[in-house]
Amino acid sequence: MSKLIGGKVCEEFTPGYYGVCAIGGMLSAGTTHLAITPLDVLKVNMQVHPIKYSSISTCFTTLLREQGPSAFWRGWAGKFFGYGVQGACRFGLYEYFKKVYSNVLVDQNKSLIFFASSASAEVIANVALCPFEAIKVRVQAQPHFAKGLSDGFPRIYASEGLHGFYRGLIPLLGRNIPFSIVMFSTFEHTVNFLYKKLIQKRREDCSRTQQLSVTCLAGYAAGSVGSIISNPADNIVASLNNKKASSLKQAVKKIGFLNLFTRSLPIRIMLVGPVVTLQWLFYDSIKILSGLPTSGHVIKDIEEDEKAQSHSR
């Protein structure tokens, strides 16, 4: 167990630090995705059966009438464990790659570092997530397929082998890499904007409540923008995993170009905005409890301006 160093569990950018980030990402992503399982069930069914479930209210009432209240919690284990693993990789490896690329890409635009770091982390995170996602989507949209992970894993493996778990990997990467790039970049730039332009104080001079408020505002902005960007690929993932199409090209053709962007978008924004906000809130709360600073890169112009003003007096 790490010794406390000046109130910290560990120093920044050490193996212990990345471990805290991974644990924080795992707990924040797993718990928040578990909590919104009912909304995810509605979203998946609207994507896979768009004629039967033409609206959120229709989908809700039909599922409740035909399958009962338990239908809204189908796939909960896939969400909790799958997105927990993804969250550990997404947040922990993002912090790691951001440090690596910051050292390599010195004097480069910060956005480039945010893009490269989030994309690198997301590739690994999605390889880990994909088998859980494949089972979750089928469990939610096909009531008689399986009850959950315990019987879903062996059933897919017996009928399709390893390929069955990674059928939707390419569209999953197509959904989550752009989402992650936009989410982390939007979060980083929003945090910087809020401290520099609105609060006009250094992060270190703000209370914990103020710091977490900045985290929540930046998190909501990041989640909402990211959900719009990634919606087409999300529809394709649901279609392929439920065998509504056998290839990426066929999925796009069956769904329709306009529907790729609009189908299930309102419920995705309802889902993703609050979920990402809660993830960042839990994640940064864990970092604060560990004695670490909250997330987000803040350019040091405020401090430099204060020094310049003091010298000019």
Side-chain angles (χ1 to χ4, degrees), residues 101-117:
Y101 292 138
S102 294
N103 293 335
V104 174
L105 303 173
V106 181
D107 298 326
Q108 292 294 321
N109 186 287
K110 286 295 179 183
S111 292
L112 177 62
I113 294 172
F114 301 151
F115 292 167
S117 303

Side-chain angles (χ1 to χ4, degrees), residues 187 191 194-195 199 203 206-219 277-289 292-295:
F187 180 85
V191 167
L194 291 173
Y195 280 116
I199 299 176
R203 176 164 36 201
C206 296
S207 66
R208 289 184 176 182
T209 301
Q210 288 176 317
Q211 291 182 37
L212 290 176
S213 296
V214 168
T215 294
C216 288
L217 287 171
T277 304
L278 287 173
Q279 283 182 17
W280 280 109
L281 175 61
F282 291 170
Y283 179 65
D284 271 358
S285 296
I286 290 170
K287 290 177 78 172
I288 283 177
L289 292 173
L292 298 167
T294 54
S295 303

Side-chain angles (χ1 to χ4, degrees), residues 75-90:
W76 70 267
K79 287 192 70 65
F80 179 71
F81 292 107
Y83 284 91
V85 171
Q86 185 206 36
C89 296
R90 172 182 280 177

